[in-house]
Amino acid sequence: MIKFVLFDFANTLVYKPDVFKIFQNFILATYKKDLTLEQIKKTHDNLRESIVFPDKTTEEFYLGFNENVLKELGIDQASKTELQKLFRDLRELKWKAYEDTWVLKDFGLPKAVLSNWDECLEQFVNELTPYNFVFTMGSFSTGFSKPDLRFYQTALDKILGSHDINVDNILMIGDSPHLDIDPAKNIGMHAALIDREGQFSKYPGIIIDSLEKLPELINKINEIT
């Protein structure tokens, strides 16, 4: 039976609108290459699924990450000045909560946020998704980043130390198989992928396309277990 739910933050509860539009406009203006949003998003997300994130994502990390995205898109001549402009354009975008996060307002189970994020995680959670999370835990504060199982073990120890539940009473919700779902399952939790755009339609695990489906999913898991 599910008694506690963990949520990833970026691209699970919140997102930056127009990220891929920024990439698209930058590529067209700088390199005269017209790519579709779908091409850019697929390349970006596939790369995200294949790398190890540091405990704190710095400007240098994102310069390198964005450079690799561009290379995968066939652009291998990006200068540091160009990469810094792309970084600034993306950084200026504001985070916004997904509309379906409203379901967490009166959510009946204790819940927490786990994220690869810097020291500002709790501030962003309180501002954008103020839904009475038991705790927020970021990679910067723990010294481990997803998908490192030590990150998940730290969260598990925190939960088991204050709640009378077992690891299989916990459900993890995230948008990344690599960072969220697979490690949560490896440590013994239930896990479900939130895939609002059908990017991971072939993923063999549990998938929901909206947080509005979460209560129904929990009921189904409880019926089985």
Side-chain angles (χ1 to χ4, degrees), residues 22-162:
I22 292 290
F23 265 98
Q24 185 184 51
N25 291 341
F26 171 82
I27 291 169
L28 181 59
T30 308
Y31 310 108
K32 312 304 178 188
K33 190 169 184 177
D34 192 7
L35 300 177
T36 67
L37 293 175
E38 183 179 357
Q39 283 177 287
I40 297 168
K41 176 175 172 51
K42 183 176 181 179
T43 300
H44 178 281
D45 290 354
N46 284 344
L47 182 61
R48 185 192 64 173
E49 287 294 297
S50 66
I51 66 171
V52 176
F53 279 76
D55 301 336
K56 183 174 182 179
T57 50
T58 62
E59 177 177 344
E60 288 302 313
F61 167 80
Y62 280 113
L63 290 177
F65 179 84
N66 293 337
E67 181 178 22
N68 286 328
V69 171
L70 294 176
K71 285 181 178 179
E72 291 294 320
L73 291 168
I75 300 166
D76 55 11
Q77 70 271 30
S79 69
K80 186 166 185 178
T81 299
E82 292 165 347
L83 291 169
Q84 286 173 330
K85 180 184 185 309
L86 176 59
F87 172 78
R88 288 194 301 270
D89 290 345
L90 292 170
R91 183 180 57 187
E92 289 174 2
L93 292 174
K94 302 298 184 183
W95 289 99
K96 178 181 179 181
Y98 283 106
E99 291 185 3
D100 58 7
T101 57
W102 68 266
V103 302
L104 302 182
K105 183 177 181 180
D106 298 314
F107 198 64
L109 296 175
K111 55 192 181 296
V113 170
L114 305 185
S115 184
N116 285 346
W117 205 284
D118 62 21
E119 65 273 22
C120 297
L121 176 61
E122 187 170 0
Q123 174 188 340
F124 275 94
V125 171
N126 290 337
E127 290 177 356
L128 298 173
T129 55
Y131 299 132
N132 298 316
F133 291 100
V134 175
F135 65 86
T136 63
M137 195 182 87
S139 55
F140 179 78
S141 64
T142 62
F144 306 117
S145 61
K146 295 186 291 184
D148 192 323
L149 289 185
R150 290 174 294 180
F151 182 83
Y152 286 87
Q153 186 63 52
T154 301
L156 181 59
D157 292 344
K158 184 184 290 285
I159 295 169
L160 299 186
S162 57

